[in-house]
Amino acid sequence: MHEMSLCEGVLQLLEEHAVSQGFSRVRRVWLEIGALSGVEPEAMRFSFDAVMKESLADGAQLEIIHQPGEAWCMQCSKPVQVTARYQSCPQCGSYQLQVTGGDEMRVKELEVE
Amino acid sequence: MCTVCGCGEGETKIEGHDHQHDHHHHQHHDGHGEHGHTHDYGQGPAHAHAPGLSQSRMVQIEQDILSKNNQYAAANRRYFEQLGILSLNLVSSPGSGKTTLLTRTIDDLMANYAICVIEGDQQTANDAERIRTTGAKALQINTGKGCHLDGHMVGHALEALKPEQGSLLFIENVGNLVCPAAFDLGEAHKVAILSVTEGEDKPIKYPDMFHAADLMLLNKIDLLPHLDFDVERCIGYAQRINPRIKVLQVSATTGEGMEAWYQWIAASRQMAMVGNPAVPA
C-alpha cells in the first residue's frame, strides 16, 4: 500500500507550513480520510509514527476524521451513501452512481508549538 | 532528503540521473530558501515568550495530502501540452503483458510517430533494455521500495529523456493495481491492461484503478479458448466501476485487435494537439 508515501506527503506539507506559519513542533495532526479514498486508516497510523520519527512531528498524535462515501444516483435523482465504488444504489439497486464525495484525503488542521 | 523538492527520499534511481543537489529544480519551487536568518519572536499568539504558559496553537491547513504530487503532475502536464506530446500511463498487475504489448505497439507505430518510454520497476533496467531493442528512446526509473511512480520522478525523467515535439510518450508504471491509481503523473490518460489469465473480477477487486483509467485493454485474448474467462462479465464489472471506460480486446502476441488500439492512440493524439500551434498535425 502507499500509505507510507502518503505520510511522506503529509510530512512535506508540515515542513512547508512550519516555515510559512512559523512553528517548530507539531503536537497533533487531523487528517480527513474519505471512505472511497483507498486509504486504510490502520496502515496510515502505522506509517505515520514511522515516517514522523525524528522530524518536527516526532510523537505527534494522529486524529483521523472519517468521511462517508457519497454518490448521486441517476435513477433516483438524489444523493445516497455508499461504502465502496462498485456498490449499487442502496435504494434502487442501479449501478448508475456518480461519486460526489468521500474520496478526499486532506490535512485539515494542526496543533503546533 | 532534499527538503526543497523531496529528492532522494527512498531509493529511487533514475538512469543517468546522478541526483547532485545543486540542480535546477522545476520552476515551481520559487519562494523557498529566503530565510537565511531566524527571528526568535516566540511562536505564541502574541509572538512573545511567556514562561509557564502553553504555546500551542491551531493551524488550519485544508490541503490535499497529494497536493505536492499534483503540483509536479501539473508541471508535467503543462510541458506535454506545450510540446503537443501525448502521454499515456500504462498500469496493470505484474505479468499482464505490458512490456510485450508496448514493444509490439512501438514496432508497429515507429514509422508514424516519434516514441519514447519511461519504464518504472522496483529494480533492474531489463524493461528499458527490452524497449531500446525496438529503437525507441527509453529511460528506466527504479523505485526501490516504492510501489508506484510519482509526478516528481517523471519530471526528472523528462529532463533526461527530452521527448521531442509531437511525440508519443508511454509511461509504464510499476506493476501494481493499487498504488499507482492515486498518483497523477500529468498523463493524458491512464490505460489499464488486464490479461485474460487473471481473474475476470479484477475490476471490482481493484476498483480505484479501473475508476481512474479511461481505457482498458483486455490482453492475451488468443488464450481465451483454453481458459474459463467470461469476457462479457469482466467488461460489465469494469463499466460498473467506471461507466465511461472504453474496452478493447487485444492480443499483443498474435496482433489481433491491435489496430483498434492504434486508432485509439491516433484519436487521442489528435485531441492532444487540437489548438496546439507548436505541432503540425
Side-chain angles (χ1 to χ4, degrees), chain B residues 136-164:
Chain B
K137 272 201 290 189
L139 187 85
Q140 182 80 44
I141 301 178
N142 285 134
T143 56
K145 294 196 183 79
C147 47
H148 56 267
L149 295 177
D150 62 34
H152 176 245
M153 296 175 197
V154 169
H156 276 314
L158 291 173
E159 288 170 5
L161 196 60
K162 298 188 183 67
E164 54 194 279

Side-chain angles (χ1 to χ4, degrees), chain B residues 206-241:
Chain B
Y206 301 96
D208 293 305
M209 187 58 87
F210 292 89
H211 180 76
D214 293 319
L215 176 69
M216 173 168 108
L217 293 178
L218 196 56
N219 193 20
K220 306 191 188 176
I221 53 163
D222 53 304
L223 298 177
L224 277 173
H226 311 288
L227 300 166
D228 188 20
F229 184 95
D230 188 336
V231 172
E232 288 314 311
R233 178 178 287 183
C234 177
I235 295 173
Y237 284 147
Q239 287 170 339
R240 195 189 285 183
I241 301 302

Side-chain angles (χ1 to χ4, degrees), chain B residues 80 84-88 166-170 188-189 264-266 268-270 272-273:
Chain B
F80 296 139
I85 294 169
L86 173 67
S87 56
L88 301 175
S167 59
L168 276 184
L169 173 71
F170 294 102
H189 304 283
W264 184 90
I265 292 174
S268 303
R269 185 165 172 274
Q270 283 287 324
M273 293 196 183

Side-chain angles (χ1 to χ4, degrees), chain A residues 16-17 21-22 107 109 112, chain B residues 43 57 59-60 63 68:
Chain A
E16 270 175 30
H17 283 275
Q21 310 217 28
V107 183
E109 222 175 359
V112 301
Chain B
Q43 312 289 351
R57 64 186 164 104
V59 176
Q60 299 283 327
Q63 216 171 340
K68 195 86 188 167

Side-chain angles (χ1 to χ4, degrees), chain B:
Chain B
M1 184 182 87
C2 165
T3 52
V4 181
C5 78
C7 279
E9 77 189 27
E11 301 173 355
T12 306
K13 286 195 201 85
I14 298 179
E15 272 184 310
H17 183 72
D18 55 5
H19 256 248
Q20 291 297 311
H21 272 274
D22 49 347
H23 63 206
H24 55 275
H25 284 104
H26 311 268
Q27 51 280 50
H28 41 253
H29 297 307
D30 301 339
H32 285 283
E34 290 154 7
H35 284 274
H37 57 281
T38 47
H39 304 277
D40 185 12
Y41 293 134
Q43 312 289 351
H47 295 285
H49 287 294
L53 287 178
S54 166
Q55 296 265 322
S56 95
R57 64 186 164 104
M58 302 299 289
V59 176
Q60 299 283 327
I61 303 277
E62 300 282 354
Q63 216 171 340
D64 197 294
I65 295 176
L66 291 171
S67 55
K68 195 86 188 167
N69 180 69
N70 293 343
Q71 282 171 21
Y72 291 120
N76 295 345
R77 188 162 281 125
R78 269 198 303 280
Y79 177 89
F80 296 139
E81 276 167 16
Q82 278 164 7
L83 291 177
I85 294 169
L86 173 67
S87 56
L88 301 175
N89 179 1
L90 308 183
V91 291
S92 81
S93 356
S96 66
K98 267 199 309 293
T99 312
T100 305
L101 185 115
L102 200 48
T103 50
R104 170 124 199 176
T105 303
I106 295 168
D107 283 340
D108 291 346
L109 296 184
M110 273 294 256
N112 308 351
Y113 315 106
I115 300 178
C116 330
V117 179
I118 296 174
E119 279 288 337
D121 280 300
Q122 285 201 315
Q123 297 296 348
T124 83
N126 293 356
D127 278 2
E129 281 157 20
R130 255 176 93 184
I131 299 292
R132 279 187 208 115
T133 59
T134 64
K137 272 201 290 189
L139 187 85
Q140 182 80 44
I141 301 178
N142 285 134
T143 56
K145 294 196 183 79
C147 47
H148 56 267
L149 295 177
D150 62 34
H152 176 245
M153 296 175 197
V154 169
H156 276 314
L158 291 173
E159 288 170 5
L161 196 60
K162 298 188 183 67
E164 54 194 279
Q165 267 195 2
S167 59
L168 276 184
L169 173 71
F170 294 102
I171 305 170
E172 187 180 334
N173 219 314
V174 179
N176 175 348
L177 275 178
V178 185
C179 311
F183 291 82
D184 185 9
L185 307 179
E187 75 276 352
H189 304 283
K190 283 192 179 71
V191 178
I193 298 155
L194 179 65
S195 62
V196 297
T197 50
E198 304 169 59
E200 62 219 354
D201 55 354
K202 275 221 171 146
I204 53 171
K205 279 185 174 162
Y206 301 96
D208 293 305
M209 187 58 87
F210 292 89
H211 180 76
D214 293 319
L215 176 69
M216 173 168 108
L217 293 178
L218 196 56
N219 193 20
K220 306 191 188 176
I221 53 163
D222 53 304
L223 298 177
L224 277 173
H226 311 288
L227 300 166
D228 188 20
F229 184 95
D230 188 336
V231 172
E232 288 314 311
R233 178 178 287 183
C234 177
I235 295 173
Y237 284 147
Q239 287 170 339
R240 195 189 285 183
I241 301 302
N242 179 359
R244 290 162 292 112
I245 200 166
K246 288 203 165 52
V247 183
L248 297 176
Q249 301 180 41
V250 299
S251 164
T253 312
T254 65
E256 194 182 345
M258 294 293 278
E259 195 48 45
W261 157 233
Y262 301 151
Q263 282 170 11
W264 184 90
I265 292 174
S268 303
R269 185 165 172 274
Q270 283 287 324
M271 288 303 288
M273 293 196 183
V274 168
N276 189 329
V279 190

